[in-house]
Coordinates of all heavy atoms in Angstrom, one line a residue:
M51 N 0.8 -1.1 -0.1 CA 0.0 -0.1 0.0 C 0.8 1.3 0.0 O 1.8 1.3 0.8 CB -0.8 0.0 1.2 CG -1.7 1.2 1.5 SD -2.8 1.3 2.9 CE -3.1 -0.4 3.3
I52 N 0.7 2.1 -0.9 CA 1.4 3.3 -1.0 C 0.6 4.5 -0.3 O -0.5 4.7 -0.5 CB 1.6 3.9 -2.4 CG1 2.4 2.8 -3.2 CG2 2.2 5.2 -2.5 CD1 2.6 3.0 -4.6
A53 N 1.3 5.1 0.8 CA 0.7 6.0 1.6 C 0.5 7.3 0.8 O 1.4 7.7 0.1 CB 1.5 6.3 2.9
Q54 N -0.7 8.1 0.9 CA -0.9 9.2 0.3 C -1.6 10.2 1.1 O -2.0 9.8 2.2 CB -1.8 9.0 -1.0 CG -1.2 8.0 -2.1 CD -2.0 8.0 -3.2 OE1 -3.1 8.4 -3.4 NE2 -1.7 7.0 -4.1
G55 N -1.7 11.5 0.7 CA -2.4 12.4 1.4 C -1.6 13.1 2.4 O -0.3 12.8 2.5
P56 N -2.1 14.0 3.3 CA -1.3 14.7 4.3 C -0.7 13.7 5.3 O -1.3 12.7 5.7 CB -2.2 15.7 4.8 CG -3.5 15.7 4.0 CD -3.5 14.5 3.2
A57 N 0.5 14.1 5.7 CA 1.2 13.2 6.6 C 0.8 13.5 8.2 O 0.3 14.5 8.4 CB 2.7 13.4 6.5
I58 N 1.1 12.5 8.9 CA 0.9 12.8 10.4 C 2.3 13.0 10.9 O 3.3 12.3 10.5 CB 0.5 11.4 11.1 CG1 -1.1 11.2 10.7 CG2 0.4 11.6 12.6 CD1 -1.6 10.0 11.1
L59 N 2.5 14.1 11.6 CA 3.8 14.5 12.2 C 3.9 13.9 13.6 O 3.1 14.3 14.5 CB 3.9 16.0 12.2 CG 5.3 16.6 12.8 CD1 6.5 16.0 12.2 CD2 5.2 18.1 12.7
V60 N 4.8 13.0 13.8 CA 5.1 12.4 15.1 C 6.3 13.1 15.8 O 7.3 13.2 15.2 CB 5.3 11.0 15.1 CG1 5.6 10.4 16.4 CG2 4.1 10.3 14.4
V61 N 6.1 13.8 16.9 CA 7.2 14.5 17.6 C 7.5 13.8 18.9 O 6.7 13.9 19.9 CB 6.7 16.0 17.9 CG1 8.0 16.7 18.3 CG2 6.2 16.6 16.6
E62 N 8.6 13.2 19.0 CA 8.9 12.2 20.1 C 10.4 12.0 20.2 O 11.0 11.8 19.2 CB 8.2 10.9 19.8 CG 8.5 9.7 20.9 CD 8.2 10.2 22.4 OE1 7.1 10.4 22.6 OE2 9.2 10.2 23.1
D63 N 11.0 12.2 21.4 CA 12.5 12.2 21.6 C 12.9 10.7 21.8 O 14.0 10.3 21.6 CB 13.0 13.0 22.6 CG 12.5 12.7 24.0 OD1 11.2 12.4 24.2 OD2 13.3 12.8 24.9
D64 N 12.0 9.9 22.2 CA 12.5 8.4 22.6 C 12.5 7.6 21.2 O 11.4 7.5 20.5 CB 11.4 7.8 23.5 CG 11.8 6.3 23.8 OD1 11.8 5.5 22.9 OD2 12.0 6.1 25.0
P65 N 13.7 7.3 20.8 CA 13.8 6.7 19.4 C 12.9 5.3 19.3 O 12.4 5.1 18.2 CB 15.2 6.4 19.3 CG 15.8 6.4 20.6 CD 15.0 7.4 21.5
D66 N 12.9 4.6 20.4 CA 12.1 3.3 20.3 C 10.6 3.6 20.0 O 9.8 3.0 19.3 CB 12.2 2.4 21.5 CG 13.7 1.9 21.6 OD1 14.3 1.7 20.6 OD2 14.1 1.7 22.6
L67 N 10.0 4.6 20.9 CA 8.6 4.9 20.8 C 8.3 5.6 19.4 O 7.3 5.4 18.9 CB 8.3 5.8 22.0 CG 6.8 6.2 22.1 CD1 5.9 4.9 22.1 CD2 6.5 6.9 23.4
L68 N 9.2 6.5 19.0 CA 9.1 7.1 17.7 C 9.0 6.2 16.6 O 8.1 6.2 15.8 CB 10.2 8.1 17.5 CG 10.2 8.8 16.2 CD1 9.2 9.8 16.2 CD2 11.6 9.6 16.0
S69 N 9.9 5.1 16.6 CA 9.9 4.1 15.6 C 8.5 3.2 15.7 O 8.0 3.0 14.6 CB 11.1 3.1 15.7 OG 12.2 3.8 15.5
L70 N 8.1 2.9 16.8 CA 6.9 2.1 17.0 C 5.7 2.9 16.5 O 4.8 2.4 15.7 CB 6.8 1.9 18.5 CG 5.3 1.0 18.9 CD1 5.4 -0.3 18.1 CD2 5.3 0.9 20.3
M71 N 5.6 4.1 16.9 CA 4.5 5.0 16.3 C 4.5 5.1 14.8 O 3.4 5.0 14.1 CB 4.4 6.3 17.0 CG 4.1 6.2 18.5 SD 3.9 7.6 19.5 CE 4.3 9.0 18.7
E72 N 5.7 5.4 14.3 CA 5.8 5.4 12.8 C 5.3 4.1 12.2 O 4.7 4.2 11.2 CB 7.3 5.8 12.6 CG 7.5 5.9 11.0 CD 8.9 6.4 10.6 OE1 9.8 6.2 11.5 OE2 9.1 7.0 9.6
M73 N 5.9 3.0 12.7 CA 5.5 1.7 12.0 C 4.0 1.5 12.1 O 3.4 1.1 11.1 CB 6.2 0.6 12.9 CG 5.9 -0.8 12.3 SD 6.7 -2.1 13.3 CE 5.7 -1.9 14.9
I74 N 3.4 1.7 13.3 CA 1.9 1.4 13.4 C 1.1 2.4 12.5 O 0.3 1.9 11.7 CB 1.4 1.7 14.8 CG1 2.0 0.6 15.7 CG2 -0.1 1.8 14.9 CD1 1.8 0.8 17.3
L75 N 1.4 3.6 12.4 CA 0.8 4.6 11.6 C 1.0 4.1 10.1 O 0.1 4.2 9.2 CB 1.2 6.1 11.8 CG 0.7 6.5 13.2 CD1 1.4 7.8 13.5 CD2 -0.8 6.6 13.2
S76 N 2.3 3.8 9.7 CA 2.5 3.5 8.4 C 1.8 2.2 8.0 O 1.3 2.1 6.7 CB 4.0 3.3 8.3 OG 4.6 4.5 8.4
D77 N 1.7 1.3 8.9 CA 0.9 0.0 8.5 C -0.5 0.3 8.1 O -1.1 -0.6 7.5 CB 1.1 -0.9 9.6 CG 2.5 -1.6 9.7 OD1 3.4 -1.4 8.8 OD2 2.8 -2.2 10.6
T78 N -1.1 1.4 8.7 CA -2.4 1.7 8.4 C -2.6 2.6 7.1 O -3.6 3.0 6.7 CB -3.1 2.6 9.6 OG1 -2.5 3.8 9.6 CG2 -3.0 1.8 10.9
G79 N -1.5 2.8 6.4 CA -1.5 3.4 5.2 C -1.3 5.0 5.3 O -1.5 5.7 4.3
R80 N -0.9 5.4 6.4 CA -0.7 6.9 6.6 C 0.8 7.3 6.3 O 1.7 6.4 6.5 CB -1.0 7.3 7.9 CG -2.4 7.2 8.5 CD -3.4 7.8 7.4 NE -3.2 9.3 7.2 CZ -4.0 10.2 7.5 NH1 -5.2 10.0 8.0 NH2 -3.7 11.4 7.2
R81 N 1.0 8.4 5.7 CA 2.3 9.0 5.5 C 2.8 9.5 6.9 O 1.9 10.1 7.6 CB 2.3 10.1 4.5 CG 2.5 9.5 3.1 CD 2.7 10.7 2.0 NE 2.2 12.0 2.3 CZ 3.0 13.1 2.6 NH1 4.2 13.0 2.7 NH2 2.4 14.2 2.8
V82 N 3.8 9.3 7.2 CA 4.4 9.8 8.6 C 5.7 10.5 8.4 O 6.6 10.0 7.7 CB 4.7 8.6 9.5 CG1 5.1 9.0 10.9 CG2 3.3 7.7 9.7
R83 N 5.7 11.6 9.1 CA 7.0 12.4 9.2 C 7.3 12.5 10.7 O 6.4 12.5 11.5 CB 6.8 13.8 8.6 CG 6.4 13.7 7.2 CD 6.4 15.0 6.4 NE 7.9 15.4 6.2 CZ 8.3 16.6 6.0 NH1 7.4 17.6 6.0 NH2 9.5 16.8 5.8
T84 N 8.6 12.5 11.0 CA 8.9 12.5 12.4 C 9.9 13.6 12.7 O 10.6 14.2 11.8 CB 9.7 11.1 12.7 OG1 10.9 11.0 11.9 CG2 8.6 10.0 12.4
A85 N 9.9 13.9 14.0 CA 10.9 14.8 14.6 C 11.2 14.5 15.9 O 10.3 14.0 16.7 CB 10.4 16.3 14.4
R86 N 12.4 14.6 16.4 CA 12.9 14.3 17.8 C 12.8 15.4 18.8 O 12.9 15.2 20.0 CB 14.2 13.6 17.8 CG 14.0 12.3 16.9 CD 15.0 11.3 17.1 NE 15.4 11.0 18.5 CZ 16.5 10.5 19.0 NH1 17.4 10.0 18.0 NH2 16.7 10.2 20.2
E87 N 12.5 16.7 18.3 CA 12.3 17.8 19.2 C 11.5 18.9 18.4 O 11.3 18.8 17.3 CB 13.6 18.3 19.7 CG 14.6 18.6 18.8 CD 14.5 20.2 18.3 OE1 14.0 21.0 19.1 OE2 14.8 20.6 17.3
G88 N 11.0 19.8 19.1 CA 10.1 20.8 18.7 C 10.7 21.7 17.5 O 9.9 22.0 16.6
G89 N 11.9 22.1 17.6 CA 12.5 22.9 16.6 C 12.5 22.1 15.2 O 12.1 22.7 14.2
A90 N 12.8 20.9 15.2 CA 12.8 20.0 14.0 C 11.4 19.9 13.5 O 11.0 19.9 12.3 CB 13.5 18.7 14.2
A91 N 10.5 19.8 14.5 CA 9.1 19.5 14.1 C 8.5 20.8 13.4 O 7.7 20.7 12.5 CB 8.2 19.2 15.4
L92 N 8.8 22.0 13.9 CA 8.4 23.2 13.3 C 8.9 23.3 11.9 O 8.2 23.7 11.0 CB 8.8 24.5 14.1 CG 8.1 24.8 15.4 CD1 8.7 25.8 16.2 CD2 6.6 25.1 15.1
A93 N 10.2 23.0 11.6 CA 10.7 23.0 10.2 C 9.9 21.9 9.3 O 9.6 22.4 8.3 CB 12.2 22.6 10.3
R94 N 9.5 20.8 9.9 CA 8.8 19.9 9.0 C 7.5 20.5 8.8 O 6.9 20.3 7.6 CB 8.5 18.5 9.9 CG 9.8 17.8 10.2 CD 10.2 16.7 9.2 NE 11.2 15.8 9.8 CZ 12.5 16.3 9.9 NH1 12.9 17.6 9.8 NH2 13.6 15.4 10.3
A95 N 6.7 21.1 9.8 CA 5.5 21.6 9.5 C 5.6 22.8 8.5 O 4.6 23.0 7.7 CB 4.8 22.1 10.9
D96 N 6.6 23.5 8.6 CA 6.7 24.7 7.6 C 7.0 24.1 6.2 O 6.6 24.8 5.3 CB 7.9 25.6 8.1 CG 7.6 26.4 9.3 OD1 6.5 26.5 9.7 OD2 8.7 26.9 9.9
E97 N 7.6 23.0 6.0 CA 7.8 22.4 4.7 C 6.5 21.9 4.2 O 6.2 22.0 3.0 CB 8.9 21.3 4.8 CG 10.2 21.6 5.1 CD 11.0 20.4 5.6 OE1 10.5 19.3 5.5 OE2 12.2 20.7 5.9
E98 N 5.7 21.2 5.1 CA 4.4 20.5 4.6 C 3.6 20.5 6.0 O 3.9 19.9 6.8 CB 4.7 19.1 4.2 CG 3.5 18.4 3.8 CD 3.8 16.9 3.6 OE1 4.9 16.4 3.6 OE2 2.9 16.1 3.2
M99 N 2.4 21.1 5.8 CA 1.4 21.1 6.8 C 0.9 19.7 7.0 O 0.3 19.1 6.0 CB 0.3 22.1 6.5 CG -0.8 22.1 7.6 SD -0.2 22.6 9.2 CE 0.6 24.2 8.8
P100 N 1.0 19.2 8.3 CA 0.6 17.8 8.5 C -1.0 17.8 8.7 O -1.7 18.9 8.9 CB 1.3 17.5 9.8 CG 1.6 18.7 10.5 CD 1.8 19.8 9.3
A101 N -1.6 16.6 8.6 CA -2.9 16.5 8.9 C -3.2 16.4 10.3 O -4.3 16.7 10.9 CB -3.5 15.1 8.2
L102 N -2.2 16.0 11.1 CA -2.3 15.8 12.6 C -0.9 15.9 13.2 O 0.0 15.4 12.6 CB -2.8 14.5 12.8 CG -2.9 13.9 14.2 CD1 -3.9 14.8 15.1 CD2 -3.4 12.5 14.4
V103 N -0.7 16.3 14.4 CA 0.5 16.4 15.1 C 0.3 15.5 16.3 O -0.6 15.8 17.2 CB 1.0 17.8 15.5 CG1 2.3 17.7 16.4 CG2 1.2 18.6 14.4
L104 N 1.1 14.4 16.5 CA 1.2 13.7 17.7 C 2.4 14.1 18.6 O 3.5 14.0 18.1 CB 1.2 12.2 17.5 CG 0.0 11.7 16.6 CD1 0.3 10.2 16.4 CD2 -1.2 11.8 17.5
L105 N 2.1 14.8 19.7 CA 3.2 15.6 20.3 C 3.5 15.1 21.7 O 2.7 15.0 22.6 CB 2.7 17.0 20.4 CG 3.6 18.0 21.2 CD1 4.9 18.2 20.3 CD2 2.9 19.4 21.3
D106 N 4.8 14.8 21.8 CA 5.3 14.4 23.2 C 5.6 15.8 23.9 O 5.8 16.8 23.2 CB 6.7 13.6 23.1 CG 7.3 13.3 24.4 OD1 6.6 13.3 25.4 OD2 8.5 13.1 24.5
M107 N 5.5 16.0 25.2 CA 5.6 17.2 25.8 C 7.1 17.3 26.3 O 7.6 18.6 26.4 CB 4.7 17.4 27.1 CG 3.2 17.3 26.5 SD 2.8 18.6 25.3 CE 2.9 20.0 26.3
R108 N 7.7 16.5 27.0 CA 8.9 16.6 27.5 C 10.0 16.1 26.6 O 10.3 14.8 26.5 CB 9.0 15.8 28.9 CG 8.0 16.3 29.9 CD 8.1 15.7 31.2 NE 7.0 16.0 32.0 CZ 6.8 17.1 32.7 NH1 7.8 18.1 32.7 NH2 5.8 17.2 33.5
M109 N 10.7 16.9 25.9 CA 11.8 16.6 25.0 C 13.0 17.7 25.2 O 12.7 18.8 25.7 CB 11.3 16.8 23.6 CG 10.1 16.0 23.1 SD 9.5 16.3 21.6 CE 8.6 17.9 21.9
P110 N 14.1 17.2 24.9 CA 15.4 18.1 24.8 C 15.1 19.2 23.9 O 14.4 19.0 22.9 CB 16.6 17.3 24.7 CG 16.0 16.2 24.0 CD 14.5 15.9 24.5
G111 N 15.8 20.3 23.9 CA 15.7 21.4 22.9 C 14.4 22.0 23.1 O 14.0 22.4 24.3
M112 N 13.5 22.2 22.1 CA 12.3 22.8 22.2 C 11.2 21.7 22.6 O 11.0 20.7 22.0 CB 11.8 23.4 20.9 CG 10.4 24.1 20.9 SD 9.9 24.7 19.3 CE 10.8 26.2 19.2
N113 N 10.7 22.0 23.8 CA 9.7 21.0 24.4 C 8.3 21.2 23.7 O 8.1 22.1 22.9 CB 9.7 21.1 25.9 CG 9.1 22.4 26.4 OD1 8.2 23.2 25.7 ND2 9.6 23.0 27.5
G114 N 7.4 20.3 24.1 CA 6.0 20.4 23.7 C 5.3 21.7 23.8 O 4.6 22.1 23.0
W115 N 5.3 22.3 25.0 CA 4.7 23.6 25.3 C 5.3 24.7 24.4 O 4.4 25.3 23.7 CB 4.9 24.0 26.8 CG 4.4 23.1 27.7 CD1 3.1 23.2 28.3 CD2 4.9 21.9 28.4 NE1 2.8 22.3 29.1 CE2 3.8 21.5 29.3 CE3 6.0 21.3 28.3 CZ2 4.0 20.3 30.1 CZ3 6.2 20.2 29.0 CH2 5.3 19.7 29.9
D116 N 6.5 24.7 24.2 CA 7.1 25.8 23.4 C 6.8 25.4 21.9 O 6.4 26.5 21.0 CB 8.7 25.8 23.5 CG 9.1 26.4 24.9 OD1 8.2 27.0 25.6 OD2 10.2 26.1 25.2
F117 N 6.8 24.2 21.5 CA 6.4 23.9 20.1 C 5.0 24.3 19.9 O 4.7 25.0 18.8 CB 6.5 22.4 19.9 CG 5.8 21.9 18.6 CD1 6.5 22.0 17.3 CD2 4.6 21.4 18.6 CE1 5.9 21.7 16.1 CE2 3.9 21.2 17.4 CZ 4.6 21.2 16.2
A118 N 4.1 24.0 20.7 CA 2.6 24.2 20.5 C 2.3 25.7 20.4 O 1.6 26.2 19.4 CB 1.8 23.6 21.6
R119 N 3.1 26.5 21.2 CA 2.8 27.8 21.2 C 3.3 28.5 19.9 O 2.6 29.2 19.2 CB 3.7 28.5 22.4 CG 3.5 30.0 22.5 CD 4.3 30.6 23.7 NE 4.2 29.8 24.9 CZ 5.1 29.0 25.5 NH1 6.3 29.0 25.0 NH2 4.9 28.4 26.6
E120 N 4.6 28.0 19.4 CA 5.0 28.6 18.2 C 4.3 28.1 16.9 O 4.0 28.8 16.0 CB 6.5 28.3 18.1 CG 7.3 28.8 16.8 CD 7.2 30.3 16.8 OE1 7.2 31.0 17.8 OE2 7.3 30.8 15.6
F121 N 3.9 26.8 17.0 CA 3.1 26.3 15.9 C 1.8 27.0 15.7 O 1.4 27.4 14.6 CB 2.8 24.8 16.2 CG 2.0 24.1 15.0 CD1 2.7 23.5 14.0 CD2 0.8 24.1 15.1 CE1 2.1 23.0 13.0 CE2 0.0 23.3 14.1 CZ 0.6 22.8 13.0
R122 N 1.1 27.3 16.8 CA -0.1 28.0 16.7 C 0.0 29.4 16.3 O -0.8 30.0 15.5 CB -1.0 28.0 18.1 CG -1.5 26.7 18.5 CD -2.5 26.1 17.5 NE -3.1 25.0 18.1 CZ -3.6 23.9 17.4 NH1 -3.3 23.9 16.1 NH2 -4.1 22.8 18.0
A123 N 1.2 30.0 16.7 CA 1.5 31.4 16.2 C 1.7 31.5 14.7 O 1.3 32.4 14.0 CB 2.7 32.0 17.0
R124 N 2.3 30.4 14.2 CA 2.7 30.4 12.7 C 1.5 29.9 11.9 O 1.3 30.4 10.8 CB 3.8 29.4 12.5 CG 5.2 29.9 12.9 CD 6.2 28.9 12.7 NE 7.5 29.3 13.3 CZ 8.6 28.6 13.0 NH1 8.7 27.7 12.1 NH2 9.6 28.9 13.7
H125 N 0.8 28.9 12.4 CA -0.2 28.3 11.6 C -1.7 28.2 12.2 O -2.5 27.6 11.5 CB 0.3 26.7 11.5 CG 1.6 26.6 10.9 ND1 1.8 26.9 9.5 CD2 2.8 26.2 11.4 CE1 3.2 26.7 9.3 NE2 3.7 26.2 10.4
G126 N -1.9 28.9 13.3 CA -3.1 28.9 13.9 C -3.7 27.5 14.2 O -3.0 26.7 14.6
R127 N -4.9 27.2 14.0 CA -5.5 26.0 14.1 C -5.7 25.1 12.9 O -6.7 24.4 12.9 CB -6.8 26.1 15.0 CG -6.5 26.9 16.3 CD -7.7 26.7 17.2 NE -7.9 25.4 17.9 CZ -7.2 24.8 18.8 NH1 -6.2 25.4 19.4 NH2 -7.5 23.7 19.2
R128 N -4.8 25.3 11.9 CA -5.1 24.6 10.7 C -4.9 23.0 10.8 O -5.2 22.4 10.0 CB -4.1 25.1 9.7 CG -4.3 26.4 9.2 CD -3.3 27.0 8.2 NE -2.9 26.0 7.2 CZ -1.8 26.1 6.6 NH1 -0.9 27.0 6.7 NH2 -1.6 25.3 5.5
C129 N -4.3 22.7 11.9 CA -3.9 21.3 12.2 C -4.2 20.8 13.7 O -3.7 21.6 14.6 CB -2.5 21.0 11.8 SG -1.8 19.4 12.4
P130 N -4.9 19.8 13.9 CA -5.0 19.4 15.4 C -3.8 18.9 15.9 O -2.9 18.2 15.2 CB -6.0 18.2 15.2 CG -6.2 17.9 13.9 CD -5.6 18.9 13.0
I131 N -3.6 19.1 17.3 CA -2.4 18.6 18.1 C -3.1 17.7 19.0 O -4.0 18.1 19.8 CB -1.7 19.8 18.8 CG1 -1.1 20.7 17.6 CG2 -0.7 19.2 19.6 CD1 -0.5 21.9 18.2
V132 N -2.5 16.6 19.2 CA -2.8 15.6 20.3 C -1.5 15.3 21.0 O -0.5 14.9 20.5 CB -3.3 14.2 19.5 CG1 -3.6 13.2 20.7 CG2 -4.5 14.5 18.7
V133 N -1.7 15.5 22.3 CA -0.6 15.2 23.3 C -0.6 13.7 23.5 O -1.6 13.0 23.8 CB -0.9 15.9 24.5 CG1 0.2 15.5 25.7 CG2 -0.8 17.4 24.4
V134 N 0.7 13.2 23.2 CA 1.0 11.7 23.5 C 2.1 11.7 24.5 O 3.3 12.0 24.2 CB 1.4 11.1 22.2 CG1 1.8 9.6 22.5 CG2 0.4 11.2 21.1
T135 N 1.8 11.3 25.8 CA 2.8 11.4 26.9 C 2.5 10.2 27.9 O 1.3 10.0 28.1 CB 2.8 12.8 27.5 OG1 3.8 12.8 28.5 CG2 1.5 13.1 28.1
A136 N 3.5 9.9 28.5 CA 3.2 8.8 29.7 C 3.1 9.5 30.9 O 2.7 8.9 32.0 CB 4.5 7.9 29.8
A137 N 3.2 10.9 31.0 CA 3.0 11.6 32.2 C 1.6 11.5 32.8 O 0.7 11.3 32.0 CB 3.3 13.0 32.0
E138 N 1.4 11.5 34.1 CA 0.2 11.5 34.8 C -0.7 12.7 34.4 O -1.9 12.6 34.4 CB 0.3 11.4 36.3 CG 0.9 10.1 36.7 CD 1.0 10.1 38.3 OE1 0.3 10.8 39.0 OE2 1.9 9.3 38.7
N139 N -0.1 13.7 34.1 CA -1.0 15.0 33.9 C -1.1 15.3 32.4 O -1.1 16.3 31.9 CB -0.3 16.1 34.5 CG 1.3 16.4 34.1 OD1 1.7 15.6 33.1 ND2 1.9 17.4 34.6
A140 N -1.3 14.2 31.6 CA -1.5 14.4 30.1 C -2.7 15.4 29.8 O -2.6 16.3 29.0 CB -1.7 13.1 29.4
R141 N -3.8 15.2 30.5 CA -4.9 16.1 30.2 C -4.6 17.5 30.6 O -5.0 18.4 29.7 CB -6.2 15.6 31.1 CG -7.3 16.5 30.8 CD -8.6 15.9 31.5 NE -9.1 14.6 31.3 CZ -9.7 14.2 30.1 NH1 -10.2 15.2 29.3 NH2 -10.1 13.0 29.9
R142 N -3.9 17.8 31.7 CA -3.6 19.1 32.0 C -2.6 19.7 31.0 O -2.8 20.9 30.6 CB -3.0 19.2 33.5 CG -2.8 20.7 33.8 CD -2.1 20.7 35.2 NE -0.7 20.5 35.1 CZ -0.1 19.9 36.1 NH1 -0.6 19.6 37.2 NH2 1.3 19.5 35.8
S143 N -1.7 18.9 30.6 CA -0.8 19.4 29.5 C -1.5 19.8 28.3 O -1.1 20.7 27.5 CB 0.3 18.3 29.2 OG 1.2 18.1 30.3
A144 N -2.4 18.9 27.8 CA -3.2 19.2 26.7 C -4.0 20.5 26.9 O -4.0 21.3 25.8 CB -4.1 17.9 26.3
E145 N -4.6 20.7 27.9 CA -5.4 21.9 28.1 C -4.5 23.0 28.1 O -4.8 24.2 27.6 CB -6.1 21.8 29.5 CG -7.3 20.8 29.4 CD -7.9 20.4 30.8 OE1 -7.3 20.9 31.7 OE2 -8.9 19.7 30.8
E146 N -3.3 23.0 28.7 CA -2.3 24.1 28.8 C -2.0 24.7 27.5 O -1.7 25.8 27.2 CB -1.1 23.7 29.6 CG -1.3 23.6 31.1 CD 0.0 22.9 31.7 OE1 1.0 22.7 31.1 OE2 0.0 22.9 33.0
I147 N -1.7 23.8 26.5 CA -1.4 24.2 25.1 C -2.5 24.4 24.2 O -2.3 24.6 23.0 CB -0.3 23.2 24.6 CG1 -0.9 21.9 24.3 CG2 0.9 23.2 25.5 CD1 0.0 21.0 23.4
G148 N -3.8 24.0 24.6 CA -4.9 24.2 23.7 C -4.9 23.1 22.7 O -5.4 23.2 21.6
A149 N -4.4 21.9 23.1 CA -4.4 20.7 22.2 C -5.9 20.3 21.9 O -6.8 20.5 22.8 CB -3.6 19.6 22.8
D150 N -6.0 19.6 20.9 CA -7.3 19.0 20.5 C -7.6 17.7 21.3 O -8.8 17.4 21.4 CB -7.4 18.8 19.1 CG -7.1 20.1 18.2 OD1 -8.2 20.8 18.1 OD2 -6.1 20.5 17.9
A151 N -6.7 17.1 21.8 CA -6.8 15.9 22.6 C -5.6 15.5 23.4 O -4.5 16.0 23.0 CB -7.3 14.7 21.8

């Protein structure tokens, strides 16, 4: 199956989790782009607007909070952001950045 359409942007600093999410999404036929920190993710989004951003919050370099703030400043709400984190306060983190889920 050849993936088509807008990509899902996965922003995650853990290489194993990043690979797993990329594999699962690719297996469903989605195009996937990846970044290991917020600055690289912004560059990817500037190159090509994703259909969805799956965002880790705690990353070295530009963290999820800073990424979301800058992404919304540049692109508004053209793309949903979903917080993906193992932290207990995932809902609070999503609310803090105005994430869609």
Side-chain angles (χ1 to χ4, degrees):
M51 175 182 333
I52 297 174
Q54 297 181 11
I58 295 174
L59 177 57
V60 180
V61 189
E62 171 62 59
D63 65 319
D64 180 297
D66 293 333
L67 187 52
L68 182 65
S69 293
L70 177 64
M71 291 183 356
E72 182 177 21
M73 180 185 66
I74 290 169
L75 292 167
S76 294
D77 284 352
T78 67
R80 297 306 307 240
R81 277 191 329 109
V82 180
R83 300 190 75 201
T84 62
R86 297 203 43 201
E87 58 88 29
L92 284 173
R94 301 263 189 296
D96 288 344
E97 293 167 2
E98 175 189 358
M99 180 57 57
L102 173 68
V103 175
L104 299 178
L105 179 65
D106 184 21
M107 296 305 291
R108 299 185 190 279
M109 298 174 287
M112 180 184 279
N113 64 35
W115 291 271
D116 293 338
F117 166 84
R119 186 177 314 108
E120 184 62 25
F121 182 86
R122 292 295 191 218
R124 292 183 189 188
H125 304 290
R127 300 197 65 83
R128 290 177 48 200
C129 168
I131 297 174
V132 174
V133 172
V134 180
T135 183
E138 291 179 21
N139 59 358
R141 180 178 299 278
R142 187 179 74 211
S143 294
E145 290 170 357
E146 287 174 356
I147 67 166
D150 297 275

